Amino acid sequence: MPEREFFKRYGSGEAFRSRAPGRVNLIGEHTDYNGGFVLPAAVDRDIRIAFRPSEDRTVELHSLDFNETARFELSKLERGAMPAWARYPMGVAAVLQAEGFALRGLRGVVKGDVPLGAGLSSSAAFEAASALAFCRAGEIELPRERLARICQRAENEFVGANCGIMDQYASLLGRRACALLIDCETLSHRTYPFNETLARIVVLDTRVKRTLVGSAYNQRRSECEQALAILRRHAPELKSYHDLGVAMFKAFAHDLPEPLVRRARHVVTENGRVKEAVKALQSWNMVTFGALMDASHDSLKNDFEVSCRELDILVNLAREVRGVYGSRMTGAGFGGCTVTLVEPKHVEEFIRTVSSGYRAQTGLEAGVHVFTPSEGASVESIRP
Ligand code: GLA
């Protein structure tokens, strides 16, 4: 935890700690930037910043994970010589200022346990924790929804990843013991209890570096836009995929060339699956929920083409194990993690069987996380 190092470096006296969790997406993949629906949960891993506002306009952050200190001036935010991790708080500061907020400097120590680069939204978590720290230091009160959009803008404009809104929303608005349904067109959201006595959320990390993810992500975004532009010739009222149902899609799909027809089909059917999954969750029907997850993976693999060999191996192994409701890749794809819902009494067997199968087929050791849906970001006072 960063508190101890913070007080050692900066002395005792009033201070604060912000924390923001990573997320796992249960279902609704590559739908957020298409005005669709997603169902993530915040997880019990987070990024924490112990900090104290300063009288100047200097931000000094020490990362315990990178054992490195970054220092920047709020009046001169340049990415230039910054360590890569410092771009997240810097980006958030830049957007807050661009949106007219007066910030104060701060001194802080950062530490996290969200796995980095695994598709579990460590970057959104760092953005959210930074946003809460800058707001507390500058005595700025903003609704969580607005903060999420500020963090997304930081990621889009400052870090350079063209992501949707899911990760930042999940980190800032997630609730303990709940999944979060987000309508990414209207940005309305609602929580639904997730019953861990029925199913545990097991996340397996392929440990494959996600090299393609940036360029392929942008390519998929643009393919979805191109498909929508063609569909709009028939239905000019469509603003996004939000109101594009399966029936309407089928009526016009003949106009779409390959691969656009498959990209659009994934988004349309995935939106339907999210709505069905919410119903299943409400009636504690984990069997149906799991079947929807399986269908989601198949669609991401065949229609959207964002899976990879290692993800498919993990998913296929999982589906053979007793007590598994469903398994799919989670996050952007091309590596990263799978999410599997497993009956609690079979979790250990599941981990053992899939890990050894994965080792046998790939020579790789899968990362294993059993996550609990957790409370979204928060900030509080701390004492030495
Ligand atoms: C990444 C992005 C999200 C979302 C997912 C795919 O995690 O950051 O906005 O698009 O990919 O569902």
Side-chain angles (χ1 to χ4, degrees):
M1 289 306 105
E3 290 85 339
R4 195 206 288 220
E5 178 67 22
F6 174 83
F7 288 117
K8 209 164 98 194
R9 281 176 181 248
Y10 299 112
S12 53
E14 196 189 20
F16 303 92
R17 186 199 56 218
S18 62
R19 55 158 286 278
R23 65 95 188 94
V24 59
N25 189 18
L26 299 176
I27 194 161
E29 218 64 82
H30 287 277
T31 45
D32 63 348
Y33 54 81
N34 287 308
F37 300 84
V38 294
L39 190 69
V43 299
D44 46 335
R45 296 291 196 92
D46 52 27
I47 297 199
R48 297 174 179 222
I49 309 175
F51 66 94
R52 181 177 294 140
S54 61
E55 295 307 324
D56 54 24
R57 302 255 301 149
T58 304
V59 175
E60 181 178 292
L61 286 172
H62 178 75
S63 162
L64 286 173
D65 300 307
F66 293 96
N67 191 21
E68 196 171 27
T69 304
R71 210 170 282 106
F72 55 84
E73 296 300 319
L74 288 166
S75 46
K76 199 164 140 268
L77 294 177
E78 285 164 6
R79 268 164 286 199
M82 275 298 128
W85 60 267
R87 289 185 185 180
Y88 297 98
M90 198 182 209
V92 170
V95 174
L96 279 166
Q97 294 193 131
E99 298 200 4
F101 299 103
L103 301 187
R104 277 172 75 183
L106 53 84
R107 307 286 180 269
V109 174
V110 190
K111 169 123 189 76
D113 63 2
V114 186
L116 299 180
L120 298 169
S121 296
S122 54
S123 50
F126 197 11
E127 287 152 10
S130 304
L132 288 183
F134 284 122
C135 285
R136 173 55 60 99
E139 291 169 7
I140 302 161
E141 297 257 355
L142 284 176
R144 290 294 168 108
E145 292 82 351
R146 173 95 190 263
L147 279 180
R149 275 179 282 131
I150 287 169
C151 291
Q152 181 201 17
R153 204 179 143 196
E155 176 112 16
N156 292 166
E157 295 174 10
F158 216 82
V159 182
N162 206 12
C163 65
I165 193 69
M166 168 168 68
D167 308 342
Q168 291 78 8
Y169 250 64
S171 185
L172 281 153
L173 289 145
R175 278 262 173 262
R176 199 179 66 80
C178 287
L180 178 73
L181 173 71
I182 310 164
D183 175 333
C184 301
E185 176 74 22
T186 63
L187 293 182
S188 62
H189 50 87
R190 214 183 132 173
T191 52
Y192 292 90
F194 183 93
N195 189 341
E196 281 192 291
T197 62
L198 296 179
R200 299 301 312 265
I201 301 172
V202 186
V203 168
L204 296 180
D205 187 346
T206 57
R207 293 244 171 87
V208 177
K209 280 269 160 268
R210 299 184 306 153
T211 42
L212 262 174
V213 72
S215 58
Y217 188 88
N218 291 340
Q219 192 196 357
R220 291 300 180 279
R221 275 194 83 136
S222 113
E223 287 168 347
C224 291
E225 280 160 24
Q226 290 168 47
L228 188 68
I230 297 173
L231 293 168
R232 259 206 213 105
R233 292 185 203 144
H234 298 282
E237 72 280 7
L238 287 178
K239 278 205 303 237
S240 71
Y241 285 81
H242 187 266
D243 300 314
L244 179 57
V246 173
M248 191 196 266
F249 170 73
K250 279 193 177 149
F252 308 137
H254 57 84
D255 253 10
L256 293 173
E258 277 289 345
L260 301 190
V261 62
R262 284 182 294 124
R263 305 295 189 252
R265 186 167 63 202
H266 165 72
V267 177
V268 170
T269 57
E270 184 78 351
N271 281 333
R273 284 186 287 270
V274 177
K275 292 179 198 162
E276 290 301 312
V278 168
K279 284 192 212 147
L281 203 56
Q282 282 176 294
S283 53
W284 309 128
N285 188 343
M286 301 321 284
V287 172
T288 299
F289 196 101
L292 291 160
M293 291 172 77
D294 287 349
S296 166
H297 184 81
D298 296 345
S299 176
L300 287 158
K301 172 176 185 252
N302 301 320
D303 277 353
F304 217 65
E305 295 180 287
V306 289
S307 189
C308 65
R309 178 174 167 261
E310 292 81 2
L311 285 168
D312 294 340
I313 289 174
L314 283 178
V315 163
N316 290 334
L317 287 165
R319 288 177 183 175
E320 296 300 316
V321 182
R322 203 159 33 148
V324 167
Y325 293 111
S327 185
R328 56 182 288 277
M329 53 155 274
T330 184
F334 297 100
C337 296
T338 64
V339 57
T340 307
L341 294 192
V342 188
E343 230 180 293
K345 64 172 187 276
H346 292 297
V347 167
E348 273 177 32
E349 179 192 352
F350 166 79
I351 292 170
R352 216 180 323 112
T353 314
V354 176
S355 305
S356 75
Y358 187 64
R359 196 179 306 122
Q361 289 189 47
T362 62
L364 295 169
E365 206 55 52
V368 179
H369 313 283
V370 183
F371 286 136
T372 290
S374 298
E375 193 66 14
S378 59
V379 57
E380 58 192 313
S381 306
I382 51 170
R383 304 241 156 258

